[in-house]
């Protein structure tokens, strides 16, 4: 996730303050970093890769005006990591520099408009339109503050923005759907995407709300909403600098679980044509409807692939999910109209890359569904679809799994051209409601109580059918990965073909039962089988069926569609795994023997 820091009033310490701020934002993950110094002149330095690259570059550079500046760590969403795509971005005359977090949805239209007016773009980013728009307004004679707000009014989408303008001892900022906070400390004022960026200087903060602008000048700051000033309350945060890399959470995993509502909104942003009742995804413009789809993936991503394959089969498209490590050496039959989709958060998993390469050699078209712009999978495949979850630091995949499921829904609808506008509309509305429902689960979950009561089992089983089956597998994987306890996921119907022999009063069974169709009823039959053998049953349910009657405890999710119910049930199971591991005092973010990115076969 990108990070922003800006400061004014730090005198000769401006450069070090900005670099320290960027360092404090490193935990968010980034692939390039940059700084703009403002004041009489505007000067920018930016570098791909580690912050150290930028620091080395700055050592060879004069300190410029030295009294104000803005800095940025970039996590690519539009255009691969590179010096030229790094922030800050400037206008052609070098009078304006801007840093941006978020996604500008109408950037293509704005780029086209500016190109017609003769602007030459120097990056692939959506963000670069902003300095050019501000420059246009300055050319039209507007003073900097008005030029900034007039430019921002042209933007659709999410943004946290900070800008400096030549000749102005000020930082201009604006926020919409992407966090921005001001820090105040006497004559020094800071602005950042996240409090940790400036916490070593001040704990007194002012949070900006959507639609608000702020102007920071030496010794003062003002916030306004459109044309009117807004009274803001200065709050004091209680965090210590040590806590803040995790934004106050004990672990990155928990923080990332809680970031899911934002990640899911981000994944859908700009990809829904509400009016037309369809999904519109620029990255997939060239993608033709395949005869068949094969998914290749590992671990959690394989569970996402199982979910997507079922959606495609339901829509009448032959589809199958394969473990990438098996596929690479024994691929399934392929025709030139087969699409092979590599589902991989990192885009660097060796098994998945091998499977995709094998598919490509055999003539299939390939698509990478990944979180990392410019990753090997994204570069090597014919197409790439980004899940936009932001960086995930915890080894256990959480928000990336949820974002994969949402992105796979978009892909499936795009490939099947929908079963009808009405169905697509109802899917759009279910996906739109999902972030709020995930928040509800996070707010109300009784997972910690369930762990208190049932967490000392000898082994833990997870069962489900249909779309709830990959969720059961994922629940078990998450559980074993971070608790080191024995956990297995099964298709509910398979229990009686072997695993039932393991079931005792010491093996809690988590049964995912959503909806109340034939599948749900059959799973309830399996619940009765384990219950009669004395196993404690924890139902994860939307309450549509009567599974609660046979359960010892219930983890509730809101009522929704089958596709989104599976995603909500998964959030409950993430929390079960987390709380169990917490109670057992495990190294949750770095489980033993495991790595975030598995680059060996
Ligand atoms: O980066 P990928 O999605 O390709 O990674 C695949 C697996 O290694 C990964 O999903 C792993 O299973 C998770 N860390 C489990 O939480």
């Amino acid at each position: 996730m990108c990070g922003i820091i800006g400061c004014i009033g730090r005198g000769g310490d401006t450069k070090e303050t900005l670099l320290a701020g960027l360092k404090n934002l490193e935990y968010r993950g980034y692939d390039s970093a940059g700084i703009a110094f403002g004041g009489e002149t505007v000067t920018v330095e930016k570098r791909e890769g580690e912050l150290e690259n930028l620091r080395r570059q700055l050592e060879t550079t004069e300190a410029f005006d030295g009294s104000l500046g803005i800095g940025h760590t970039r996590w690519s969403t539009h255009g691969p990591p590179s010096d030229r795509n790094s922030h800050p971005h400037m206008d052609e005359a070098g009078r304006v520099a801007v840093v941006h977090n978020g996604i500008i949805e109408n950037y293509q239209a704005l780029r086209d408009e500016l190109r017609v007016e003769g602007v030459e773009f120097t990056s692939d980013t959506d963000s670069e339109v902003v300095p050019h728009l501000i420059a246009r307004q300055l050319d039209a004679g507007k003073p900097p503050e008005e030029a900034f707000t007039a430019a921002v009014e042209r933007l659709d989408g999410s943004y946290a923005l900070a800008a400096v303008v030549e000749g102005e001892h000020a930082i201009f900022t604006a926020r919409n759907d992407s966090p921005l906070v001001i820090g105040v400390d006497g004559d020094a004022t800071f602005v950042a995407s996240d409090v940790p960026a400036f916490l070593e200087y001040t704990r007194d903060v002012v949070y900006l709300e959507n639609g608000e602008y702020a102007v920071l000048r030496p010794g003062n700051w003002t916030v306004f909403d459109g044309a009117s000033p807004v009274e803001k309350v200065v709050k004091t945060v209680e965090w210590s600098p040590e806590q803040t890399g995790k934004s106050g959470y004990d672990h990155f995993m928990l923080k990332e679980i809680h970031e899911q509502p934002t990640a899911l909104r981000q994944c859908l942003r700009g990809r829904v044509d509400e009016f037309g009742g369809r999904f519109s995804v620029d990255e997939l413009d060239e993608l033709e409807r395949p005869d068949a789809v094969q998914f290749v993936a590992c671990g959690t991503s394989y569970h996402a692939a199982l979910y997507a394959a079922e959606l495609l089969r339901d829509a009448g498209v032959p589809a199958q999910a394969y473990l990438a490590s098996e596929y690479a050496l024994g691929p399934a039959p392929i025709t030139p109209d087969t699409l092979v989709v590599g589902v991989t958060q990192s885009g660097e998993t060796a098994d998945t890359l091998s499977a995709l390469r094998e598919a490509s050699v055999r003539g299939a078209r390939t698509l990478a569904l990944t979180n990392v712009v410019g990753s090997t999978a994204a570069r090597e495949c014919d197409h790439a679809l980004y899940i936009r979850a932001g960086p995930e630091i915890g080894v256990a995949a959480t928000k990336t799994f949820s974002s994969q499921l949402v992105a796979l829904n978009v892909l499936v609808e795009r490939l099947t051209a929908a079963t009808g506008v009405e169905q697509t509309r109802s899917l759009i509305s279910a996906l739109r409601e999902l972030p709020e429902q995930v928040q509800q689960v996070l707010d109300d979950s009784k997972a910690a109580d369930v762990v208190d009561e049932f967490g000392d089992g000898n082994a833990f089983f997870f069962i489900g059918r249909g779309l709830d089956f990959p969720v059961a597998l994922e629940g078990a994987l998450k559980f074993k990965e971070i608790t080191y306890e024995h956990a297995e996921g099964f298709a509910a119907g398979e229990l009686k073909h072997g695993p039932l022999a393991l079931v005792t009063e010491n093996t809690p069974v988590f049964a995912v039962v959503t909806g109340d169709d034939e599948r749900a009823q059959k799973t309830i039959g399996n619940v009765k089988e384990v219950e009669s053998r004395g196993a404690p049953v924890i139902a994860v349910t939307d309450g549509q069926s009567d599974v609660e009657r046979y359960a010892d405890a219930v983890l509730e999710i809101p009522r929704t569609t089958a596709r989104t119910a599976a995603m909500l049930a998964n959030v409950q199971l993430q929390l079960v795994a987390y709380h169990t591991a917490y109670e057992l005092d495990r190294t949750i973010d770095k489980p033993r023997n495991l790595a975030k990115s598995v680059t060996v076969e």
Side-chain angles (χ1 to χ4, degrees):
M1 214 77 89
C2 303
I4 289 177
I5 173 73
C7 70
I8 187 164
R10 293 279 302 156
D13 291 336
T14 303
K15 183 167 84 178
E16 284 312 316
T17 308
L18 293 174
L19 283 170
L22 293 178
K23 184 94 197 137
N24 293 339
L25 292 169
E26 270 188 318
Y27 75 91
R28 297 164 68 103
Y30 68 104
D31 48 48
S32 57
I35 280 179
F37 298 97
E40 286 314 310
T41 55
V42 172
T43 320
V44 167
E45 290 293 348
K46 48 191 194 173
R47 281 290 173 276
E48 183 188 345
E50 301 278 306
L51 192 51
E52 214 31 53
N53 300 346
L54 175 67
R55 181 183 282 282
R56 271 199 296 275
Q57 180 60 27
L58 283 166
E59 275 163 14
T60 65
T61 317
E62 293 293 316
F64 310 108
D65 179 78
S67 67
L68 69 115
I70 53 179
H72 191 261
T73 46
R74 174 174 188 253
W75 167 263
S76 307
T77 57
H78 292 70
S82 63
D83 287 350
R84 69 191 197 91
N85 285 335
S86 316
H87 297 216
H89 291 287
M90 299 185 90
D91 67 316
E92 286 173 299
R95 289 171 299 169
V96 181
V98 173
V99 293
H100 165 228
N101 286 0
I103 294 175
I104 295 168
E105 286 173 19
N106 59 337
Y107 83 100
Q108 199 57 58
L110 293 170
R111 249 175 117 102
D112 293 346
E113 177 188 313
L114 288 159
R115 272 211 188 97
V116 169
E117 293 177 16
V119 172
E120 281 187 25
F121 283 83
T122 57
S123 78
D124 309 315
T125 64
D126 53 336
S127 315
E128 197 192 336
V129 296
V130 185
H132 295 302
L133 288 172
I134 298 172
R136 279 287 184 269
Q137 298 293 334
L138 292 171
D139 289 343
K142 290 214 168 87
E145 195 169 317
E146 278 179 44
F148 177 74
T149 46
V152 173
E153 274 164 21
R154 301 283 323 274
L155 308 177
D156 293 337
S158 62
Y159 48 80
L161 289 164
V164 291
V165 176
E166 184 182 83
E168 280 291 304
H169 288 260
I171 298 174
F172 303 95
T173 71
R175 167 204 165 139
N176 189 51
D177 277 351
S178 188
L180 208 52
V181 57
I182 295 171
V184 290
D185 176 30
D187 283 347
T189 313
F190 307 83
V191 64
S193 48
D194 210 356
V195 176
F198 54 68
L199 199 62
E200 59 214 85
Y201 308 106
T202 182
R203 294 198 291 151
D204 293 336
V205 304
V206 178
Y207 291 99
L208 291 192
E209 302 297 334
N210 284 341
E212 289 183 345
Y213 299 80
V215 181
L216 281 48
R217 297 189 187 276
N220 74 68
W221 51 273
T222 46
V223 177
F224 53 102
D225 171 0
S228 355
V230 182
E231 283 280 313
K232 299 293 283 188
V233 181
V234 178
K235 297 186 174 156
T236 302
V237 294
E238 300 301 331
W239 300 341
S240 64
E242 304 77 63
Q243 277 181 298
T244 53
K246 296 170 193 143
S247 302
Y249 291 101
D250 287 338
H251 297 94
F252 281 112
M253 181 185 178
L254 190 60
K255 171 173 169 278
E256 286 153 6
I257 288 173
H258 281 264
E259 282 174 347
Q260 288 177 115
T262 307
L264 300 182
R265 285 191 188 100
Q266 186 97 330
C267 181
L268 269 192
R269 194 175 288 286
R271 290 171 164 172
V272 173
D273 171 2
E274 211 96 43
F275 185 70
R278 60 183 201 101
F279 291 94
S280 82
V281 185
D282 294 348
E283 296 108 297
L284 302 182
D285 273 355
E286 315 273 287
L287 185 63
E288 281 163 25
R289 188 187 160 116
D291 286 347
V293 179
Q294 296 173 0
F295 292 93
V296 290
C298 308
T300 292
S301 295
Y302 171 67
H303 302 149
L306 285 170
Y307 169 98
E310 174 144 353
L311 294 188
L312 277 169
R313 288 194 297 268
D314 278 355
V317 178
Q320 198 65 42
Y322 296 91
L323 287 165
S325 53
E326 292 294 315
Y327 184 99
L329 298 175
I334 280 173
T335 71
D337 288 322
T338 303
L339 178 69
V340 177
V341 180
V343 184
T344 166
Q345 180 280 128
S346 61
E348 303 295 347
T349 300
D351 288 322
T352 308
L353 292 175
S354 292
L356 286 166
R357 286 173 190 146
E358 182 60 33
S360 184
V361 166
R362 292 162 63 97
R365 287 174 295 144
T366 54
L367 183 148
L369 189 118
T370 181
N371 195 29
V372 183
V373 176
S375 58
T376 307
R379 283 186 277 109
E380 291 188 2
C381 285
D382 301 314
H383 309 272
L385 178 60
Y386 296 109
I387 64 170
R388 300 179 182 164
E392 193 172 63
I393 314 282
V395 165
T398 52
K399 64 174 179 172
T400 54
F401 178 63
S402 297
S403 298
Q404 283 172 341
L405 297 185
V406 168
L408 284 164
N409 268 284
V410 173
L411 176 66
V412 166
E413 287 300 299
R414 171 66 184 70
L415 290 181
T416 56
T419 28
V421 173
E422 279 319 307
Q423 282 95 322
T424 308
R425 282 217 170 99
S426 82
L427 175 63
I428 289 172
S429 107
L431 292 176
R432 284 266 197 237
E433 285 167 19
L434 185 62
E436 200 49 50
Q437 292 167 333
V438 170
Q439 190 60 56
Q440 203 178 319
V441 171
L442 294 173
D443 293 344
D444 301 342
S445 177
K446 301 274 184 291
D449 300 339
V450 163
V451 168
D452 270 354
E453 198 172 346
F454 303 103
D456 61 353
N458 292 345
F460 300 81
F461 300 131
F462 296 74
I463 60 171
R465 264 195 169 72
L467 294 176
D468 293 339
F469 167 49
V471 170
L473 292 180
E474 176 59 11
L477 175 63
K478 215 85 311 173
F479 196 94
K480 71 178 82 160
E481 186 181 18
I482 61 167
T483 68
Y484 314 156
E485 296 293 308
H486 180 218
E488 295 298 335
F490 303 112
E494 278 295 294
L495 273 181
K496 56 190 172 298
H497 299 291
L500 203 51
L502 296 171
V503 168
T504 69
E505 61 279 7
N506 293 320
T507 58
V509 176
F510 290 84
V512 184
V513 186
T514 62
D516 190 21
D517 58 4
E518 199 184 338
R519 278 181 172 155
Q521 286 305 322
K522 286 196 165 170
T523 306
I524 292 172
N526 305 124
V527 164
K528 291 178 191 164
E529 287 162 15
V530 296
E531 192 211 13
S532 63
R533 279 147 185 97
V537 173
I538 301 98
V540 186
T541 179
D542 52 12
Q544 295 199 54
S545 68
D546 62 349
V547 67
E548 293 185 22
R549 287 181 55 194
Y550 312 99
D552 298 277
V554 174
L555 292 171
E556 284 174 28
I557 59 167
R559 286 192 184 193
T560 173
T561 64
R563 291 176 180 212
T564 43
M567 300 188 214
L568 294 168
N570 174 60
V571 176
Q572 289 283 21
L573 296 183
Q574 291 172 344
L575 292 168
V576 167
Y578 175 81
H579 288 297
T580 310
Y582 187 91
E583 288 304 317
L584 293 168
D585 202 20
R586 304 300 191 218
T587 53
I588 293 179
D589 286 330
K590 290 191 176 142
R592 69 184 178 203
N593 307 335
L594 298 179
K596 184 70 186 161
S597 187
V598 186
T599 53
V600 288
E601 285 184 60

